[in-house]
Each structure stands twice: as structure tokens, then as C-alpha cells.
Amino acid sequence: MRKNTATKPSVCAIQALLMAFAFLSPSGCRNASDYRREADETAARYLEVVQEVALGKTESIEIETPADTLRRRLMIDQRLLVNDPASFGIRDIPTNLYWRSGDRLLPGGDDPSISVWTGGTNALEIGLVDAVRIAAFNSREYKSRKEALYRTALSMDLEDNTFRDIFSGRLNSSIGVTYDKNERDSISDHAVSHNESATFGVSRKFRNGIRVTGSIMANVAGMLTGDTRTAWGSSADLSISIPLLRGSGELVNTESLTQAQRSFIYEVRSFEQYKRSFICQIESAYLALVLAKRRQQNQDEAFRRVIRSTRRSYRMAEASRMSQSQFEQAHQSELSSKASWIASCQSFESTKDQFKMTLGLPPDARIEPREDDLVELERYVGRFARLEQGEYDMGRDDEEGRIVLDDPDSVDEGDLKSRTDIAIDIAFSNRLDFVTVRDQLEDAQRHLLIAEDALRAEVTIGASVDNFADTVGPRSRRAGEDHGRLHPREWSANPILTIDLPIERRSERNAYRSALIAVESAVRAYQQEEDSLKNTIRSDMRSMSQTKDNLQIQYMAMNLAERRVRNQEILLQAGRADMTVMLEAQDSLVQAKNSLYSAMINYKNQELALQRDLGLLEVSVNGTWKEADLVALGVLPDPDDAQNPRKAVADEQES
């Protein structure tokens, strides 16, 4: 009975192949978590470098969901309705066929904004600083922008990999059976062959366009088992290519990397400007909530005042001291005031729900705004806008008897113009999106040079060197021949010369013309951005001046409305009040208070918007911010300056 002598070597070869794979491929022992940590480290490294270049500062961008968030804590503690565990967060998604959070997420800490929550089922009371911090860790839009920046960092890593040493490795195993019925004199009429090969290579592209590639292939089983009858099947090759005209030089070959780097810088700048806009958005939403609450309180106070007036009117009508029609007029006003009070309560609730959505919290969570922020805001704007009611100023007439009107401040003349010019210069230096548009003009000019290079002739020289071992077939293997060895002195060299004359350059010609048009377009984009920035700053400065004037007007209007109501209440007690005048005075007081608080909040929003548009608002990724001193920069007038007209008027009234 004949024995199959090929079985045992084949098993040994496969075992040797597995040993080689375990030894030569350490990356095969890495799991998904290792790759994830490597990606995080790579992205953090790129972000740190680019932030330093683009912003002159660095800060960590965390996209990992904390183990516990304020949203999750409120939903649990306040027992809010939940349809699916995903509402709590990614870490609460149950394990299933596709998802195992323990294998894919790193251990996380707590959401820093949780510190504002004391637990229990009571409402969460927050101020402006708390609101911004909560939004920085819970806003879905804000998280999406951070993730977009993170993905840009990973894309940058791929582009940067172009000019590194690129290693490759592959292990292959195959088994073949050859049957030959004419082989009568052999011990078997068939042969079993196996091939276990390992290929390792390295390639490198240099910044000047030179590319070098090398590889070596060997039969791993034969090398490790020492079977001299097994073909080693070794081969090696090395090639190099050097562009001389088109495609040569660092500018052309690094264009993709250069543009990726600049695009990364643009994304970092965009995120920085977005943070400033985000602060303005959250502050505006919070102050809108505070205003809605104050309007509801004003309407509540007005409703109570109308009820008291209606009751007094009823008693006076019963005592025949007031006509029945005047009482009915007061009663009708009470019903109207009740409808306004209900509407203000509903408006406050609706504004609060929308505010919670902006923060990334459930709309049914119970939160309340603090009153301290509005009190502090009233104290702040009162420095330059609040004036006590003085004697009526009749103004003056011209020689023809026409009333002379004092024109408001203009951004085209006087002190406001000089301060506007200062503000525009500041914006030119600090607005990151404006700097990006200016850099994009340089990108278009660089792209034009690349397109010009493509019009040139292509001349590339190179060479390749190869060494292939003898091959071994089944017959020679049975005969015991020792072939397949690598012969160090038997190399083949192949010089290469490639010439592509610029005869057909239709596509390159069109690309060049398009690149030239792109430069024109980039110039227009820069002009548009510059004019738009000027217009924005001029509008901001005009709005700041108007808001201050409006604040002063609203303070005076509220003083008059309060005086009217007090006078009418005295007349009502004396039985000499006109109910129509009384009701009009009460309505005017409510409107004056609402208008005053709206003016105060509009001023604060406008001031912060000016800081944003000037590029001066310093914002951290965690939701803290620092405002610049616009008075010290000469953008806003000093309210304590003796030359300030409002200060002069206030001093005159005080004296």
C-alpha cells in the first residue's frame, strides 16, 4: 500500500504559517478599542497643533458622552416620561446583537453641568452662567459641531499619511494537487503541492514628487521548516520614479496636504466663531425667558390693580358715587386684563419649553430662571440710561417758527463715526471668518500655479531592480531538486524614461482657465466679505446708539406712566376720577414696563453681538466666556466721562 508523503509536510507548513502570522503581525492582536484610542490620540494631537497656529491657544475637544448627564439626571429625578432608554443617553442603550457599549465606549465621568442640580423633584433654578454651561455639555447642535471638528482632524491624518513610510504585509497559503497518469515509474501518480508565501513591502513618496517602492516575497513554510525540497520562491524588487517637469517640486506634490492643512485651520476658526455665536444665542434665549417671566409678573400686577379698581368702582356705584356705565367699563377692562394675564402665563410657559430645547434638556423638565440676572442688568444699564424725570423741555424753534429737531448720532459723522472706524479696524484684525476669506484668496492663487504646472510637458525618469528565484514544480519536487533560492548576483535592472509632450492639453487648458476665473471669484468674495463686515459693524454701532437712546426714553416713559397711575388712584379715592383715563393710565404703565425691560434686554443682546462681530468675545469650549472692555478700546463712550452728553444732562438735573 502506497503512502502519501505530502500530508505531513503540508500540516507542518500550515502550522509554520500560523506561527509566522502571530510573530510578524503584532497588529493582529489589537482590538477595536485600541484603534479607537489611537484615533483619539491622533485627533487630539492634530487639534492641539492647529489650534496653536490658528488661535494662539489650545483646549481639549471632548466628544465622549459622560457617564451621567444633566439631562439623564433630570429625567430620572423628576420622573419624566421616557419612550426608549436612548433618551437617557448612549450608555443606557441595552446590549443587543449589534451594540455592546462596554466594548465601544471609554469609562466616562460626570457632566460638569450636573453641579447646578441638587437632586429631588423640585424645579432646577438656573442663571445665565448656568444656562451657557448646561448648553455647552447638553446642546445637540453644539455637540455636532465638536464632532465635525474631530472628524476634520481624522481627515487631516489621512492626508498627512501621504508622505510617510507606508508598510504593507500579506501572508498567503495555497494547496494544489497534480495528477499525471503517465507517471508509471513514480511512487505515486499524483502530487500535492503547497505554497505559503509572505509579502512585505514599503513605499514612500517624497515632497518633491520622488516615489520609492520596494517589496520582498518569501516562502515562509520552507524557511521555518527547513524543508530544502520546498520552493523558497523568494523574490525582491525596488523601483524609483523622479518627475523632472510636470508634477515635480514641493508646491505641486504637497498641494493636497497643504489644502487639507489650511482647511483644517479654517474649520478651527469656524468653530471658534461658532462658539461666540453660540454664547450670543444662549444668552438671547435666556434673557427672552427672563423677559417673558417679567412680562407675566407685570401683567399679574396689572390684573390685580384692575381688580382692585373694579371693586372700588363697584362699591362707589352701589353708593351712587359713580355711574353704572363707568362700573361696567371697569368690569370690561377687568375681563380684558384677565385674558392678557392668561396669555402672558402661557407665553412664559411656551418660551420656557423652547429654551429647554435650546439647552438640550427635555421640554417637560422643571426649570426656573433666576431674578438676579435681570436685577443686575437693570443696575448695569442704569449707569448710562436712567434719568430722573425733570421739567418738560419745550425745545426750540428756528427763525421761521419751525420746531428744531436734534438729529440722532450718525456713523458717518462726529464722535460715533470715529468710534465706528475704531470698531471696523478691530474687526479686520480679529474676525476669524474674515481672515479665512482672505486666506482663501491665497488658496485660489496657489491653485492657479498648480493648473499652470499641468500644462507643461511630463518628463519622468526612473528605474526598477528585480530578483526572482527559480521556480519549482511538482516533478522537480519529487526528484528532490533544490530550487527556488534567491540569487544575490542575478539581478535585472530596468531604466525608465517617460516623456509626455504637451500636445493634447485640452482638459488641463480648461482647468487652468477655470482656476483663473476662480481667482477672480475669490477677489469678489473677499470684497463681499469686507463690505459685509463693514456693514455689520456700522449696523451694530448704529443699533447700540439707538438702543441707548431708547433706554432713556423708556425710563422716562415709565416714570410718567407711574405718575399718571398714582394721580388717578388719588382722584378715584376722592370720587373725582374719570374711569376711562384711569384704565388708560393702567394699560400705559404695563406697556411702559414691558417696553423698558425689552429695551434693557435688547441693549445687552446688542452689546454681546457687537463683541461677537468684533471678534473680541473669548469663549472656552466648556461654556465660559470673557467680554472685552469696549469703553477702554474706544468703541463705546464712557458713561462716567464728564464729556458724555447723558452724564452732563444727569449732572444738570441733579444740581
Side-chain angles (χ1 to χ4, degrees), residues 129-369:
V129 176
D130 301 326
V132 175
R133 188 167 179 81
I134 290 172
F137 288 96
N138 294 271
S139 169
R140 289 174 280 269
E141 177 187 355
Y142 193 72
K143 289 182 178 179
S144 296
R145 288 301 298 262
K146 290 197 297 183
E147 290 168 350
L149 183 61
Y150 179 90
R151 285 194 291 265
T152 304
L154 293 180
S155 300
M156 180 66 226
D157 180 52
L158 290 179
E159 290 293 341
D160 204 15
N161 197 50
T162 304
F163 300 102
R164 296 172 180 160
D165 293 329
I166 308 299
F167 295 93
S168 61
R170 175 173 296 184
L171 298 177
N172 294 316
S173 178
S174 62
I175 299 177
V177 179
T178 302
Y179 176 76
D180 190 352
K181 62 181 180 179
N182 297 323
E183 292 287 337
R184 301 296 184 183
D185 56 344
S186 62
I187 60 176
S188 174
D189 58 357
H190 70 279
V192 179
S193 63
H194 55 85
N195 179 31
E196 292 78 25
S197 63
T199 304
F200 300 96
V202 60
S203 64
R204 175 70 180 266
K205 181 180 179 181
F206 296 89
R207 293 176 180 266
N208 57 6
I210 298 176
R211 184 184 296 273
V212 179
T213 304
S215 66
I216 185 170
M217 182 179 69
N219 189 305
V220 180
M223 296 172 60
L224 297 181
T225 61
D227 185 2
T228 58
R229 296 185 304 162
T230 302
W232 284 59
S234 301
S235 65
D237 67 84
L238 178 68
S239 63
I240 182 172
S241 64
I242 305 173
L244 299 180
L245 291 179
R246 186 172 77 162
S248 63
E250 184 172 344
L251 176 66
V252 176
N253 288 277
T254 61
E255 168 56 25
S256 179
L257 176 60
T258 300
Q259 188 58 56
Q261 292 172 342
R262 292 173 72 89
S263 297
F264 194 10
I265 291 176
Y266 301 160
E267 186 67 25
V268 170
R269 290 174 181 168
S270 176
F271 181 69
E272 188 69 16
Q273 189 65 25
Y274 167 76
K275 289 192 299 181
R276 295 167 178 167
S277 299
F278 181 74
I279 292 294
C280 294
Q281 175 191 356
I282 300 302
E283 188 215 40
S284 178
Y286 176 80
L287 293 180
L289 177 62
V290 172
L291 177 60
K293 183 176 183 179
R294 181 52 61 94
R295 283 178 172 174
Q296 187 267 330
Q297 293 172 344
N298 291 339
Q299 198 64 48
D300 181 270
E301 181 182 347
F303 184 34
R304 296 176 188 275
R305 186 184 299 111
V306 170
I307 292 176
R308 286 194 296 267
S309 297
T310 304
R311 290 176 178 177
R312 188 180 294 114
S313 300
Y314 174 76
R315 288 192 294 267
M316 294 178 67
E318 288 291 317
S320 300
R321 296 177 57 190
M322 178 179 290
S323 65
Q324 186 67 23
S325 61
Q326 286 185 313
F327 161 70
E328 291 174 352
Q329 184 180 8
H331 189 195
Q332 184 178 2
S333 177
E334 178 183 334
L335 296 177
S336 177
S337 180
K338 181 177 181 180
S340 299
W341 171 70
I342 293 174
S344 67
C345 293
Q346 297 298 332
S347 177
F348 172 61
E349 293 295 329
S350 177
T351 304
K352 186 162 56 175
D353 286 352
Q354 186 60 44
F355 175 69
K356 287 180 283 189
M357 293 285 291
T358 302
L359 297 185
L361 301 179
D364 52 344
R366 292 183 290 279
I367 69 169
E368 292 294 334

Side-chain angles (χ1 to χ4, degrees), residues 61 98 118 229 255 379 386 408 485 504 511 538:
I61 306 296
Y98 312 105
T118 57
R229 296 185 304 162
E255 168 56 25
R379 185 183 303 113
R386 185 165 190 169
R485 295 186 179 275
E504 174 56 41
R538 286 167 60 88

Side-chain angles (χ1 to χ4, degrees), residues 300-592:
D300 181 270
E301 181 182 347
F303 184 34
R304 296 176 188 275
R305 186 184 299 111
V306 170
I307 292 176
R308 286 194 296 267
S309 297
T310 304
R311 290 176 178 177
R312 188 180 294 114
S313 300
Y314 174 76
R315 288 192 294 267
M316 294 178 67
E318 288 291 317
S320 300
R321 296 177 57 190
M322 178 179 290
S323 65
Q324 186 67 23
S325 61
Q326 286 185 313
F327 161 70
E328 291 174 352
Q329 184 180 8
H331 189 195
Q332 184 178 2
S333 177
E334 178 183 334
L335 296 177
S336 177
S337 180
K338 181 177 181 180
S340 299
W341 171 70
I342 293 174
S344 67
C345 293
Q346 297 298 332
S347 177
F348 172 61
E349 293 295 329
S350 177
T351 304
K352 186 162 56 175
D353 286 352
Q354 186 60 44
F355 175 69
K356 287 180 283 189
M357 293 285 291
T358 302
L359 297 185
L361 301 179
D364 52 344
R366 292 183 290 279
I367 69 169
E368 292 294 334
R370 291 200 187 103
E371 292 288 332
D372 300 345
D373 294 301
L374 190 58
V375 174
E376 181 62 29
L377 177 60
E378 185 175 2
R379 185 183 303 113
Y380 173 69
V381 299
R383 291 180 55 209
F384 53 81
R386 185 165 190 169
L387 296 176
E388 296 297 332
Q389 186 69 33
E391 296 295 331
Y392 174 68
D393 184 5
M394 296 183 60
R396 58 190 177 87
D397 300 340
D398 60 11
E399 296 178 353
E400 299 179 358
R402 293 178 301 183
I403 298 175
V404 177
L405 299 178
D406 295 330
D407 294 332
D409 294 339
S410 172
V411 295
D412 291 321
E413 59 184 14
D415 179 63
L416 183 57
K417 180 183 186 307
S418 61
R419 289 189 277 108
T420 301
D421 291 342
I422 293 174
I424 292 176
D425 286 337
I426 293 175
F428 282 164
S429 302
N430 293 275
R431 274 289 292 269
L432 298 176
D433 51 346
F434 178 69
V435 176
T436 294
V437 174
R438 191 169 56 201
D439 289 345
Q440 286 174 342
L441 174 58
E442 181 180 321
D443 290 342
Q445 296 168 343
R446 192 180 66 256
H447 295 162
L448 180 62
L449 290 178
I450 305 300
E452 286 180 349
D453 177 80
L455 296 172
R456 299 195 298 171
E458 178 182 351
V459 178
T460 303
I461 62 174
S464 63
V465 180
D466 305 299
N467 184 296
F468 293 95
D470 298 333
T471 58
V472 178
R475 295 184 181 180
S476 60
R477 201 185 310 277
R478 287 194 300 268
E481 299 178 5
D482 192 6
H483 295 282
R485 295 186 179 275
L486 194 66
H487 302 287
R489 297 183 180 181
E490 297 181 6
W491 297 84
S492 63
N494 302 299
I496 301 173
L497 174 62
T498 302
I499 299 178
D500 182 8
L501 298 177
I503 299 175
E504 174 56 41
R505 289 290 187 267
R506 187 181 302 272
S507 176
E508 291 79 0
R509 177 205 66 186
N510 294 343
Y512 169 74
R513 190 64 184 95
S514 297
L516 190 57
I517 295 174
V519 175
E520 290 277 3
S521 178
V523 170
R524 293 193 300 271
Y526 172 78
Q527 294 171 346
Q528 172 68 24
E529 189 67 20
E530 181 179 289
D531 293 345
S532 177
L533 182 55
K534 286 182 179 179
N535 184 57
T536 298
I537 300 304
R538 286 167 60 88
S539 178
D540 287 343
M541 296 297 291
R542 192 181 294 115
S543 298
M544 286 296 300
S545 178
Q546 178 185 356
T547 304
K548 287 184 178 181
D549 291 337
N550 188 41
L551 269 171
Q552 183 179 3
I553 292 172
Q554 296 305 327
Y555 268 119
M556 296 175 65
M558 191 185 70
N559 290 335
L560 283 174
E562 289 177 341
R563 183 185 300 180
R564 286 181 61 195
V565 170
R566 287 195 300 267
N567 292 337
Q568 291 300 318
E569 287 178 346
I570 293 174
L571 292 176
L572 182 62
Q573 292 176 0
R576 295 186 292 114
D578 187 330
M579 185 54 61
T580 301
V581 177
M582 176 68 183
L583 296 176
E584 289 179 353
Q586 291 176 341
D587 291 340
S588 297
L589 179 59
V590 175
Q591 295 176 6

